Amino acid sequence: MTLAALRQSAPVLDLVRSFSLEMTAKDVESLDAAAALIPAGTPISVTYLPGEELPARVAAAKAVKAHGFVPVPHFSARRVLSRGDLMTFLTTLRDEVGIERAFVIAGDPPAPMGPYEDALAVIRSGLLDTAGIKTVGISGYPEGHPDIDKAKLAQAMKDKLAALAEQGKQAEIMTQFAFDADAILLWLERIRQDGVTTPVRVGIPGPASVKKLVRFAARCGVGASAKVMMKYGTSITKLLSQAGPEQLIENLAERLDPALHGEVMLHFYPFGGLVDTANFINRHYSK
């Protein structure tokens, strides 16, 4: 089978077909440019980055919806300054955008900047109902977390899923981006054995320079050793080269077994290259 045929094979197309994307509040113009390449109804996450104010985040979510996509605003628990700020964000999204989905994460500050220690605290606050949110995404870490051991990560996932179930909300797990198919598949198998049946969106990088990939990996605590990068299909010695996730996607599609790994979709991290990522998906995996 040729490389082009492999990328158009049924397992690959099935895996890519229900993909989601990520953007920042600064990417509205890029979204405008990429919109024609993205299927209607695609979930697009709007991140909660430091230095981006509420109006910009809301405007980005509004742009996502205006293009016919599904906005999934992020809530970074430790960056929320007060209960009132969280309420304002939620009610503004409700009134100006209309949302049914959100992604809640602890965030990277070492200590909370307000009353919320972690994602579970935001979920348990009950305020997500204020915006009519029905589906909540939570985080997953196939390659582990630099500051939290695996047992604590597993328990935190169970606690969040239990809290969402108690509130009658749907859940989805969206993972940190990863390079290593072996690590992803092992993690999926482990959480399924642990009783987690929630759909998972596996985070993978969009096309980017190796230098950018390694930089983001170091910032996020993702494995980026020479061995892992070779598994990914590139080398850290080729810092100026462009690298794409084709090999990772094909490896996952070939080896995923619903009986072992459950329901799995892809989530693309564009790293500022939203148009490049949309072009990449459209060029390789549209049919």
Side-chain angles (χ1 to χ4, degrees):
M1 184 181 291
T2 66
L3 186 59
L6 178 61
R7 289 175 187 161
Q8 294 292 317
S9 68
V12 171
L13 292 177
D14 285 345
L15 179 60
V16 179
R17 188 168 286 121
S18 299
F19 73 90
S20 55
L21 285 165
E22 189 149 305
M23 65 178 284
T24 73
K26 298 175 182 176
D27 289 331
V28 172
E29 288 187 7
S30 295
L31 179 65
D32 293 341
L37 301 170
I38 303 170
T42 297
I44 299 184
S45 294
V46 179
T47 59
Y48 194 114
L49 296 180
E52 293 181 347
E53 300 297 328
L54 184 148
R57 295 186 187 114
V58 172
K62 192 181 295 186
V64 170
K65 191 161 190 179
H67 281 295
F69 311 128
V70 178
V72 187
H74 285 204
F75 295 84
S76 179
R78 293 181 184 174
R79 293 193 179 279
V80 176
L81 299 179
S82 68
R83 182 180 173 90
D85 281 348
L86 179 57
M87 178 71 82
T88 298
F89 191 16
L90 286 162
T91 54
T92 304
L93 286 167
R94 179 196 65 199
D95 296 342
E96 297 190 20
V97 182
I99 61 169
E100 293 188 350
R101 299 178 59 165
F103 179 75
V104 185
I105 193 169
D108 54 7
M113 300 167 67
Y116 302 107
E117 170 68 28
D118 52 26
L120 183 60
V122 171
I123 292 168
R124 284 179 171 165
S125 74
L127 294 180
L128 297 178
D129 284 336
T130 305
I133 292 169
K134 298 177 181 177
T135 301
V136 178
I138 62 171
S139 57
Y141 299 91
E143 296 186 9
H145 190 288
D147 301 318
I148 308 172
D149 66 41
K150 290 181 180 179
K152 288 184 178 178
L153 286 173
Q155 188 59 52
M157 178 182 290
K158 286 184 176 181
D159 291 344
K160 287 180 280 190
L161 291 174
L164 290 169
E166 287 171 7
Q167 296 176 18
K169 297 191 186 306
Q170 297 294 313
E172 187 174 81
I173 297 167
M174 190 162 68
T175 80
Q176 176 61 276
F177 73 90
F179 296 125
D180 186 348
D182 292 337
I184 294 168
L185 292 165
L186 182 61
W187 176 82
L188 284 167
E189 190 170 345
R190 188 170 64 245
I191 67 168
R192 299 315 186 193
Q193 290 172 347
D194 211 22
V196 175
T197 59
T198 307
V200 173
R201 288 190 179 274
V202 171
I204 62 173
S209 71
V210 176
K211 183 177 182 180
K212 180 179 283 190
L213 292 175
V214 171
R215 185 173 76 247
F216 274 96
R219 185 184 304 173
C220 299
V222 174
S225 67
K227 182 179 179 182
V228 169
M229 293 304 286
M230 285 185 69
K231 282 186 178 182
Y232 183 66
T234 188
S235 167
I236 58 176
T237 63
K238 299 178 180 178
L239 291 180
L240 299 181
S241 299
Q242 189 86 354
E246 300 98 314
Q247 184 169 311
L248 175 59
I249 292 171
E250 290 148 17
N251 200 342
L252 288 173
E254 182 180 297
R255 297 167 60 190
L256 278 168
D257 178 351
L260 289 176
H261 307 116
E263 184 180 352
V264 178
M265 297 162 283
L266 296 183
H267 178 75
F268 286 89
Y269 289 87
F271 302 133
L274 188 60
V275 175
D276 288 343
T277 298
N279 267 315
F280 168 83
I281 298 167
N282 190 265
R283 184 170 64 252
H284 288 306
Y285 304 111
S286 63
K287 188 175 181 179

